[in-house]
Structures are given as C-alpha cells and as structure tokens.
Amino acid sequence: LEHEIRSINERFNQISSELMQLFIETSQESGSMLRKKFLEVEESREKLNRLFLISTVISILTLLLILTLISRKIINPIRSVAGVMREVRAGNIKARSPMLGNRNNEIVQFGLSFNDMLDTLEHNNQQLVEYQNELEERVSDLRRTNRKLETEIAERKKTEKALRASHEMFLMGLDSIGAAIYGADMATHEILFTNKHMIESYGRDLTGHTCWEVLGEKSEPCSHCTKKEKLLDNFTDDRVQNDVS
C-alpha cells in the first residue's frame, strides 16, 4: 500500500511537473504571440500614421491648389480692379485693369465693364474739358466785347453830352435872335423846334404841329417845301417877318 501511494505521489509529481512545463511553454508561447500581435498592431498604427500624414499632406496641397485657382480667378481680378480704383481716385483716369481669361467669367465681365465705365468717364471728361475751354474762350470774347461796348457807350455818352451841350448852345443862340425861327422835317413837315421869340409871338409852342397848317394856314404843303430846297423856311405873315437860310 505504501508502495502504491508512493507510486501515485511520484506519478502526481510527474504530472505536476509536466503541467508546470506545459504552463511555462504555454505562457512563453502566449507571450510570444502577444509580442507578435503587439508588433503587428504597432506596424499597423505606424502605417495608419503614415497614411494620415500622407492624406493630410495631400489635403493641404489640394487646398492650396484650390486657393491658388480661386486667387487667380477671383481674388487677383478683384485686387486688380481695386488697384485701378485707387489709381483713378489718385487722379490717373487712364488706369485700366488687365482682365485676362474667359469672358464668360463673371469677375472678368465685371472688370471689363469697369474698364468700359472708365472709358466713358474719360471721354465725358475730355468733352467737359473741351466745353470748359470753349466756355472760357467765349467768356473771354464776351469780356472783350463788354469792354468794347463799355468803351463805345462811354464814347457815345461823351458824344451825346457834347451834342447836348452843342444843341443847348444852338438853342441859346436861336433864342438870342429877335426873330421867329423854327425847324421842320422836310418829309412830314412836323415842326421840330422853335426859338423863344417865335413862342412869344404865337403865344404857344408849336413844336410837333404841321408847319403849313399852323403857320401858312394852308390845306397842303408849300410849293417851295415840296421841292425840298431848304430845311429852314423863309416865312412872312402879319406878325412875323424872318429871313432864315
């Protein structure tokens, strides 16, 4: 019985040793498999990182390409138009925006329309300058004409003043004569002036009346007046005797 128990113990020890060995081998195998799996996971993670990095770089490059295209088609034309606006505001009305590209593009159409507007403004500005120059020339002509008219008016006033003074002296000379003297229009026979002696003789001023009616008491002009030989008449009646040539 002891022998059998000993044998069973030895067998149990042997089995325990084999189990321990098996556990050790299993543990080593498991550790090896885990390390292998960890390495695979690490490699996968590195691959994913590389893929993420590559995709990030590609995305950035794509974004830069898109931004470049947008800049060429939208931003650069707008900047060009803005630069032209600044030049025009500074006084350079001949500035134009070099719009290159597809004419169906709305930005290009905007730039071309802006250039057309500037062409129209420049043309209108040239016309305004021409009109201004023409107006200034006309104003200068008007000023010269005005100065000439002022000179002529001054000379005319001076002449009128001299004629008025001469006429007054003439009338004073006629008034100083002790005879009836008058002057008449040869066409209408209207009495234009009379001297003081004639007014006193007839008791009224006959200026404006027809000479042959109030003086000659006739129904028609005198024969010597119709021949238009004299402007100042030689007339004699009951009250006035005068010889004027």
Side-chain angles (χ1 to χ4, degrees):
L1 183 59
E2 289 179 4
H3 183 267
E4 289 180 0
I5 292 173
R6 194 179 294 112
S7 175
I8 290 171
N9 288 331
E10 290 177 357
R11 183 64 180 167
F12 179 78
N13 291 330
Q14 184 180 358
I15 292 171
S16 296
S17 298
E18 290 177 357
L19 287 174
M20 288 294 296
Q21 184 66 32
L22 182 61
F23 283 149
I24 291 172
E25 291 177 357
T26 301
S27 176
Q28 291 177 352
E29 185 69 22
S30 297
S32 177
M33 290 177 65
L34 285 173
R35 284 192 298 272
K36 185 177 181 181
K37 288 296 180 181
F38 284 145
L39 291 174
E40 290 178 357
V41 170
E42 186 67 23
E43 290 178 358
S44 298
R45 189 174 65 82
E46 290 179 357
K47 288 181 180 180
L48 289 174
N49 288 335
R50 286 195 296 270
L51 289 174
F52 178 75
L53 181 60
I54 292 172
S55 63
T56 302
V57 172
I58 293 174
S59 299
I60 292 173
L61 292 176
T62 304
L63 180 62
L64 290 175
L65 180 61
I66 293 173
L67 291 176
T68 302
L69 294 176
I70 292 175
S71 175
R72 289 182 179 179
K73 291 187 176 182
I74 299 178
I75 298 177
N76 287 342
I78 292 176
R79 285 180 177 174
S80 178
V81 172
V84 172
M85 289 180 179
R86 286 192 295 270
E87 291 187 18
V88 172
R89 184 172 57 186
N92 182 17
I93 198 171
K94 294 184 178 295
R96 296 295 183 274
S97 177
M99 282 297 172
L100 303 176
N102 187 5
R103 289 181 174 267
N104 294 325
N105 185 284
E106 294 179 355
I107 302 298
V108 175
Q109 290 179 358
F110 169 74
L112 294 176
S113 299
F114 186 72
N115 288 340
D116 293 338
M117 182 188 69
L118 290 177
D119 292 336
T120 303
L121 288 175
E122 183 179 4
H123 177 69
N124 293 337
N125 186 60
Q126 290 177 352
Q127 286 187 336
L128 287 175
V129 171
E130 292 176 359
Y131 292 155
Q132 184 179 1
N133 293 334
E134 184 178 356
L135 181 61
E136 290 178 353
E137 184 177 355
R138 290 185 179 182
V139 169
S140 299
D141 293 339
L142 288 174
R143 287 176 178 173
R144 287 192 294 269
T145 304
N146 189 39
R147 287 194 294 268
K148 184 178 179 181
L149 287 174
E150 289 177 352
T151 303
E152 291 179 356
I153 290 172
E155 292 178 354
R156 182 174 296 179
K157 288 182 177 180
K158 184 178 180 180
T159 303
E160 289 177 353
K161 185 177 180 180
L163 288 174
R164 193 178 298 109
S166 176
H167 180 69
E168 290 176 354
M169 291 181 64
F170 172 71
L171 292 179
M172 289 177 61
L174 292 179
D175 289 340
S176 63
I177 298 175
I181 300 175
Y182 74 95
D185 189 328
M186 295 298 295
T188 63
H189 305 285
E190 178 185 358
I191 296 176
L192 302 178
F193 64 87
T194 59
N195 68 344
K196 182 178 180 181
H197 183 80
M198 188 170 183
I199 294 174
E200 293 176 349
S201 298
Y202 282 85
R204 59 185 177 126
D205 189 357
L206 300 178
T207 302
H209 295 277
T210 304
C211 61
W212 50 267
E213 288 180 345
V214 297
L215 298 179
E217 296 181 355
K218 297 180 179 180
S219 59
E220 61 183 8
C222 302
S223 59
H224 55 274
C225 282
T226 56
K227 295 179 181 179
K228 298 183 180 180
E229 294 177 350
K230 295 181 180 180
L231 177 62
L232 298 178
D233 246 10
N234 182 6
F235 183 79
T236 304
D237 65 3
D238 297 329
R239 294 169 296 177
V240 180
Q241 293 183 358
N242 178 37
D243 292 330
V244 177
S245 63

